[in-house]
Every structure is written in structure tokens, then in C-alpha cells.
Amino acid sequence: MSKRYIIYAIIALSILASIAFLFQNNYKRASLILNGKNIGIIDNISSIDKAIEIANKKIKEINSEFFFDPTIKTTDVYSFKFDLDKYELSDIIYSELTPLTNAWVVNKNGKYIAALKDRDDALDALSNFKSSFLRDKNQIVKSIDFIEEVEILYEPIGVNKIMTKDEFIDYLHESIKDTIISNRPEDGLTKYNGYNEGYVKFGDGFDVLIKDELDEKIILHTSTIFNFDETLDKGESIVEREGQDGLIARKSENAYINNRIVYTKVLKENIIREPISQIIRVGDRSLLSKLRFKWPATGYITSKYGPRYDGFHRGLDIGSGLGANILASAAGEVIHAGYSGSYGYCVFIRHRDGYETRYAHLLKIEVDVGDRVSAGDIVGKMGSSGNSTGAHLHFEILKDGETLDPEDEL
């Protein structure tokens, strides 16, 4: 190869290198991706910061606390053309992005829940929500707090996520609607923290745990004893003795989730006044054919049949001394004698006409399955086994599998 051709080749390569250098430095662009969307090519990367600055100046004219802080991904490209300049990009930021503001963000277990502009509003809402579960002026609160970890942080958040104090309080109350609390192990929920009486399935809410001591006066409702008197005409009745409610003073230690009890322990209990049963003689010859039930224990009624604080109470609680005799309420056959979940040690007796009686929380069982018993026979001793907080008899009467109010049948 001649010396002339070598010189020509060197000159050509130099020209190509110069063209490449000029192209790289004068036509280097940035391809932009905003919120996962490719929005075009800008003239140079430095224009991105200027576009954000222009968009922020515009939004601060509306509210000085608002700002944009977008994350824009870039990819280097080389092109003679570009779609965007700093003004066009600022218009996209302004129109397509939600402006931010610094606010107090409420997190639960590290997860965003809500945001409020005022820290005191956030704290007041949380405090008012917790206080709404306090039950009684005689309640000595030992602790009240959220079960999950709740924290408040000052950080940027979209202005569309800001709540008022009232909106946040409404949210807190709505948040616990999916939490299920039961005092019945047969409902298939999980026992909470080893507490005997509380079975819980948590939702996504701000559940509140309260521990307290409670001094209260409990009415021991009087009962009515109806004595059939065939010497009286049908529909005629005579009150032989007026009844009077009893009263008991109780000090207890308790734990609640969202105002539903999950644990209670009686610390002290004194009977102020024994209840006196009302006695009425009634005349009705049709009662001769009806199955009659006798009181299964002597003592006082501590809880009646029907709704109460922990759900529907399906029987009658009769309190007396530990080891007191428990008697068959009517003649029948023993169909269960043993331990059964929340009933503890218990006896079930089947009677005629589809009736069944149940005697729960026994200390000792005195009969076996298959035994025939008469009304007044001893079937067990009063205790506090199973889901019980003190010596008493939980007594149920069922007709064709459905519970009845025992006081209507005794």
C-alpha cells in the first residue's frame, strides 16, 4: 500500500471520530419513564430538575405547602429529535401527579393507615377511640393500649390521603368491624394470649386491650316459685310470699378487647342481701299432665337466662358453697356424665316429652351414663370446673333441642 493511501485512511478515520464525538455530545438525550409509563425523550438530563422546579413553583401558587418530588427513570439515547423540553415536562408533572405535603402519617405494624396535618389531631383521635371502650365509673384502669404496634411519623404524603380528625375517628371505629370475639370455644376461634374466656379472630383494625379492676354491685334477681294447687280454680292465683332481689358486692380483675371480656377473675365477693323467692299458688288442672321441674340447688341466682355482656346466656346460674348438692330437677335417664369443654364436669339428663336438663361446672359427678334418676336425687357436687369464675351451677332446660328459660319451667 502506498504512503498516499495510508494518509487518506488516517484522515478518513479522524473525520469519522470527530463526527462521532460531535454526535455523542450534541445529540445525547434522555428517554423518560414516569410511574412506569414512557413519556418521551427530553433534550438533556439537566432539564428534568428544572422541569420539577417549574412544576413546584406553579403548585405553590395554589398552596405553599404542596410540592412535587417525582422519581423519573432515565435511559440514555442518541437522537436528532426530542419530544419534550423542560416546560413540556413540567406540564406533565403538574397535570398527572398528585402533589405531596408533609403530614403526620399513622402506621400500624409499619404499614400506612392514615395521614393528618396536625399531630395533636392524630393523637386525640387515637386517645378518644381508646377511651370510648371504658365501661364504668368504678373501673380502675390498669392499662389501655392497642394490641398492634402503632406509630406516628412526619413524612411526605399525597394530599389526597389527608384525613380530618373526625374522618380518622370514624375510620378507627369502622376498622374493628371484622374482629370476632367469642367466649365459646366451640366457635372455633383462637384463644387469646392464654386468657381462659376470650377466643378471637382479628381483622385489620386498631383493636384495643384494656386491663382493669372493677368494684360493682350485682343484683341477684329474685325468682318465682309456682306451686300447683288443685283446690284453686283455673286461672286463680294467690301470692303466698313476696319476693325481693338480693345484692352482692364484687371486686374483679378483668381484660377486654374492644370492650368484650376475654378474662375475669373474682378477687373478692360479699353477699350484702340474700334474694328471697316469690311464692305463688296457682290453680290449673292442666298442669297435672305437664312435666314439672324442681330447683336443682339451693342458693341465689347470679346470672339469668338471656342476653348479657359476653353473649347470650343459655341457662340459669345458681351460686352457693363449693361442694353443695346438685339435684336432678325431674325424673329421667342420665345420657352424659363427664367433662365437656366450657361446661367442665357436667351431667345431662333426658326426660319425657322431649325435655333435657344440663348441670354444669360440677366439682364431682355422682351418677353414670344410663342411670335412672328421680327428681331430687343427687347427681353431683357444686364446683367451678370449665369456663367458670366461682362455685356455681349452670343449669339448662331444653325442649326438643332448644333452650328454655329455666325460671319459666321451675
Side-chain angles (χ1 to χ4, degrees), residues 178-335:
D178 293 327
T179 297
I180 302 172
I181 302 170
S182 171
N183 301 102
R184 294 159 45 91
E186 54 266 37
D187 287 340
L189 306 181
T190 302
K191 183 179 289 188
Y192 177 70
N193 203 28
Y195 290 158
N196 315 4
E197 301 169 34
Y199 297 83
V200 182
K201 178 182 178 183
F202 289 110
D204 295 324
F206 281 61
D207 299 289
V208 177
L209 176 66
I210 299 176
K211 297 179 181 179
D212 76 1
E213 285 186 1
L214 188 61
D215 289 307
E216 55 188 337
K217 298 287 195 303
I218 300 171
I219 295 175
L220 305 174
H221 295 282
T222 185
S223 59
T224 302
I225 300 173
F226 293 96
N227 290 330
F228 173 70
D229 189 341
E230 58 186 356
T231 65
L232 299 177
D233 292 333
K234 182 176 181 179
E236 185 180 0
S237 64
I238 298 174
V239 177
E240 290 189 340
R241 184 177 72 188
E242 295 289 347
Q244 183 182 37
D245 288 339
L247 193 64
I248 190 170
R250 175 180 294 169
K251 183 181 184 69
S252 60
E253 180 181 84
N254 310 279
Y256 315 82
I257 294 177
N258 303 343
N259 207 22
R260 290 289 304 278
I261 195 158
V262 292
Y263 167 80
T264 186
K265 178 182 179 182
V266 176
L267 303 176
K268 186 178 181 181
E269 190 172 79
N270 294 315
I271 298 175
I272 299 173
R273 183 178 63 245
E274 293 276 5
I276 300 174
S277 298
Q278 183 183 44
I279 300 176
I280 300 177
R281 285 195 294 129
V282 296
D284 188 347
R285 295 186 183 278
S286 65
L287 291 177
L288 287 172
S289 62
K290 185 178 183 298
L291 182 62
R292 305 296 306 280
F293 293 95
K294 295 184 177 181
W295 283 84
T298 58
Y300 49 87
I301 297 173
T302 59
S303 185
K304 299 171 78 71
Y305 178 90
R308 67 177 185 182
Y309 65 91
D310 58 351
F312 193 89
H313 189 229
R314 297 175 296 172
L316 187 69
D317 286 353
I318 303 171
S320 187
L322 185 69
N325 287 335
I326 305 300
L327 312 177
S329 185
E333 179 185 357
V334 177
I335 58 173

